[in-house]
Amino acid sequence: MAQDKDQILEEVTANEYKYGFSTEIETDTIPKGLNEDVVRIISAKKNEPEWMLEYRLTAFAHWKTMKQPDWAKLNIAEIDFQDIIYYAAPKQRPKLDSMDDVDPELRATFEKLGISLNEQKVLAGVTGVAVDAVMDSISVSTTFKETLAEKGIIFCSFSEAVQEHPDLVKKYMGSVVPYTDNFFAALNNAVFSDGSFAYIPKGVRCPIELSTYFRINAMNTGQFERTLIVAEEDSYVSYLEGCTAPQRDENQLHAAIVEIVAMQRAEVKYSTVQNWYPGDKNGKGGIYNFVTKRALCKGDYSKVMWTQVETGSAITWKYPSCILMGDHSEGKFYSVAVTNNYQQADTGTKMIHIGKNTRSLIVSKGVSAGKSQNSYRGLVRINKRAENARNYSQCDSLLMGDQCGAHTFPYLEINNSTAVVEHEATTSKIGEDQIFYCNTRGLSTEQAVGLIVNGYVKEVINQLPMEFAVEAQKLLQISLEGSVG
Amino acid sequence: MLEIKNLHAKIDDKEILRGINLTVKPGEIHAIMGPNGSGKSTLSSVLAGSDVYEVSEGSVSFYGKDLLALPAEDRAREGLFYSFQYPVEIPGVSMVNFMRTALNEHRKYNNLKPYTAGEFLKLMREKKNLVEIDSNLTNRSVNEGFSGGEKKKNEIFQMAMLEPRVAILDETDSGLDIDALRIVANGVNKLKSKDNATIIITHYQRLLDYIIPDFVHVLHNGRIVKSAGKELAFELEEKGYDWIKKEFED
Ligand SMILES: Nc1ncnc2c1ncn2[C@@H]1O[C@H](COP(=O)(O)OP(=O)(O)OP(=O)(O)O)[C@@H](O)[C@H]1O
Ligand SMILES: [Mg+2]
């Protein structure tokens, strides 16, 4: 009866990605490689105005002077930036007036993922969710635009924003994450494909959750999304981002940028469920996910909350951050990062306190299984004039088995003596006694793990909008299928 | 019917169960007593499906099925319940969610439709009354921060919910105050029927005043060395185990 622990762990980690399939849709691609011409082609294909091209070229020139960063805790194979296709768009771009016009292949793909557009449409009708589905680099379907337009809310693809709202884009793009920020941000600025743009005018509460599903699909295609959200004074918006990708052998690069600007008393909630292909159980393949997400709490009393559930990608490198510039502004970061098999995650946040009486909260829950490495890396910086700043950080790690690693790197830079900064960290293991107890009540080991993990991350999941919370819970269970402590 | 034949189990190379024979028929109550370390909890966890121990010999049949061939969760779904001597805390998992998942798994296994939230809550209220468990406990995480006695009551509550065919109660009476002991014993008695059986592991004859056993067994050194009617419990209470230990010194 006594089962070898190692053997149980082998079984644990023998979990394969559920969403490994790819859609066969003809794509319009340009040859592999990156040079100034490629940047020009991308810009031309999107009919961009001159200023946008100039911007891209400046960013590209800067990128060429930069070096790919070398991370302490991540083990990354050399990325050949000349071996990547920088532009791919579905060939027959479906009409946007009706869901029925969406390519059936594409719809089927979404259905397999359990997030069919039909379902979304119903969901949207009932609970008010607008979907801006992104397939590869081009938005294929947008709903509820009209409803939003009535309130003066702009919610569209980034390319459309460049055409239709150039002044807003010019004003805010790069204002939170400049192209000089980091290697991948510079790259994104040069070659970004598409993404979403949301603008909430003064005093408007966005009545529905804005959501975008991203999905990488074309072979060898790096995806370079960018999202810009501007919330004017006294406005409110909740934005959802979720994604999955089909199974691939090659590593795919994803380098996205998300910028949020919150003016006085504005409140922005940004939730993510990330489930890209993590590679197989031997660590082959999987998405490289290098994302720069940053919010500027520009106005007094503004609030930004990041919530993320990260289960996918072979390598995740992201630190959704808040620059708390306005007095009394507030930043929150809730995160669940699950790693299994050979996945590596290095994620966390930066809370930069600049204004007076600024507050930040960090709740990070890491779950590691298999041979994965899961790091929390967080910076709390209190600037000189940030009187009475407060931060509370809680970083918990849950380990399954003894072949995985969990690491916590909290960095503190406190330059004002009135600051109160607290940090708590715990590490726990799913006990075999807990699993056995559940087994004796009729729960399978998988269910037991699912229950325990979902219990452990509840505090974070509870921050997600309802529809998302359910999806996220499913996902956690799937990503840890077969896992045992 | 539970039929244990010549059951041997060991951990590392230490043999803890050394040939257990025991037959439990529907409607019966069996008490197992025995000195500390004699193997009572080991027997319970081996039956429940713990993989900490290695079964080296023997067989166990449970209503005609080979119990030892089933994973722990299926043994539970077949109707075997194990009330832990030391119930385990599961932080973050609510009792409601835990019980509902467990119960619906049992139902699925037995080709029954899952309970709706409404049906489940109704059942839970009923069973809570039956075992007089505090509502606050079922609103909390499984056993988390429960007192010793509360944990034991919670085990009986779970038993009431799952309605097993055979329940093994491992020292459910220890740590209970006098009132709780009566409540738990009443609960067990109320749940008793001609179709189910109970194995009570205890050190104290006191419990057997409330739950009258049909048989009392003494476990010593991994073997059942004496079986008799309820009067044996009185004898043990009075004389301790020394006389039995002497009889069986190897
Ligand atoms: N996991 C284990 N590792 C090592 N030895 C064990 C383990 N489990 C049980 N044992 C040993 O097996 C023997 C029987 O233990 P068990 O817990 O079954 O006794 P018990 O009859 O339930 O005692 P008590 O009355 O104290 O509850 C003891 O000597 C114990 O130390
Ligand atoms: Mg014991």
Side-chain angles (χ1 to χ4, degrees), chain B residues 35-42 44 82 85-86 170-171 201 203:
Chain B
N36 294 130
S38 56
K40 303 179 297 295
S41 295
T42 304
S44 316
Y82 174 27
Q85 182 173 3
Y86 305 107
D170 191 357
E171 294 197 32
I201 294 169
H203 285 298

Side-chain angles (χ1 to χ4, degrees), chain A residues 12-299:
Chain A
V12 167
T13 39
N15 146 41
E16 298 268 359
Y17 187 67
K18 280 275 162 84
Y19 298 148
F21 50 86
S22 68
T23 317
E24 282 172 34
I25 292 180
E26 280 180 84
T27 50
D28 166 22
T29 54
I30 61 174
K32 279 182 186 173
L34 183 55
N35 53 44
E36 210 181 283
D37 285 341
V38 167
V39 176
R40 285 179 191 281
I41 293 172
I42 293 170
S43 188
K45 281 206 181 266
K46 301 171 86 62
N47 272 323
E48 282 177 354
E50 188 61 26
W51 61 267
M52 193 71 254
L53 174 63
E54 286 304 321
Y55 188 96
R56 286 177 182 275
L57 290 172
T58 314
F60 179 68
H62 186 77
W63 179 76
K64 282 196 296 188
T65 68
M66 299 175 95
K67 263 203 162 126
Q68 191 185 334
D70 187 18
W71 289 290
K73 274 286 157 202
L74 296 180
N75 181 7
I76 303 172
E78 187 89 29
I79 301 169
D80 182 356
F81 291 92
Q82 296 307 331
D83 196 37
I84 292 171
I85 297 169
Y86 288 86
Y87 183 83
K91 246 185 186 161
Q92 320 125 290
R93 188 172 177 177
K95 291 197 184 100
L96 299 181
D97 3 303
S98 157
M99 288 276 186
D100 303 333
D101 293 341
V102 176
D103 188 325
E105 270 278 342
L106 181 53
R107 284 217 311 256
T109 303
F110 280 112
E111 256 148 47
K112 262 192 241 176
L113 286 164
I115 48 164
S116 75
L117 287 180
N118 281 331
E119 191 187 321
Q120 286 297 332
K121 203 175 165 190
V122 175
L123 250 177
V126 177
T127 62
V129 176
V131 179
D132 177 18
V134 175
M135 179 72 167
D136 281 323
S137 315
I138 293 268
S139 295
V140 289
S141 160
T142 304
T143 47
F144 278 79
K145 242 181 182 172
E146 294 76 15
T147 324
L148 295 173
E150 278 166 24
K151 296 220 167 219
I153 296 169
I154 303 167
F155 179 44
C156 62
S157 73
F158 199 87
S159 317
E160 204 174 323
V162 170
Q163 306 292 341
E164 308 287 328
H165 311 283
D167 292 346
L168 286 173
V169 174
K170 259 194 253 182
K171 185 169 173 191
Y172 292 109
M173 178 186 186
S175 72
V176 187
V177 181
Y179 64 80
T180 50
D181 194 80
N182 66 69
F183 183 82
F184 290 102
L187 179 65
N188 177 293
N189 274 289
V191 300
F192 69 87
S193 31
D194 209 338
S196 300
F197 175 73
Y199 177 83
I200 322 298
K202 196 169 163 178
V204 171
R205 265 189 86 82
C206 182
I208 50 178
E209 312 270 359
L210 300 183
S211 99
T212 303
Y213 283 100
F214 298 91
R215 189 166 168 78
I216 298 177
N217 197 48
M219 189 84 95
N220 270 333
T221 305
Q223 179 137 345
F224 304 92
E225 298 285 343
R226 71 180 301 151
T227 300
L228 175 59
I229 299 171
V230 179
E232 292 284 12
E233 280 176 31
D234 296 294
S235 68
Y236 166 86
V237 65
S238 168
Y239 187 93
L240 321 179
E241 171 208 309
C243 57
T244 52
Q247 185 152 1
R248 285 278 171 243
D249 264 346
E250 297 86 347
N251 288 304
Q252 290 178 300
L253 177 64
H254 184 100
I257 291 180
V258 176
E259 292 180 284
I260 297 175
V261 182
M263 308 306 254
Q264 264 191 47
R265 291 176 301 274
E267 187 177 352
V268 179
K269 291 184 181 170
Y270 192 103
S271 313
T272 309
V273 172
Q274 188 265 116
N275 182 30
W276 291 351
Y277 180 50
D280 67 15
K281 62 183 181 188
N282 298 314
K284 193 160 182 271
I287 305 291
Y288 286 7
N289 190 22
F290 303 118
V291 184
T292 308
K293 286 182 166 173
R294 196 173 302 154
L296 177 61
C297 287
K298 200 168 180 179

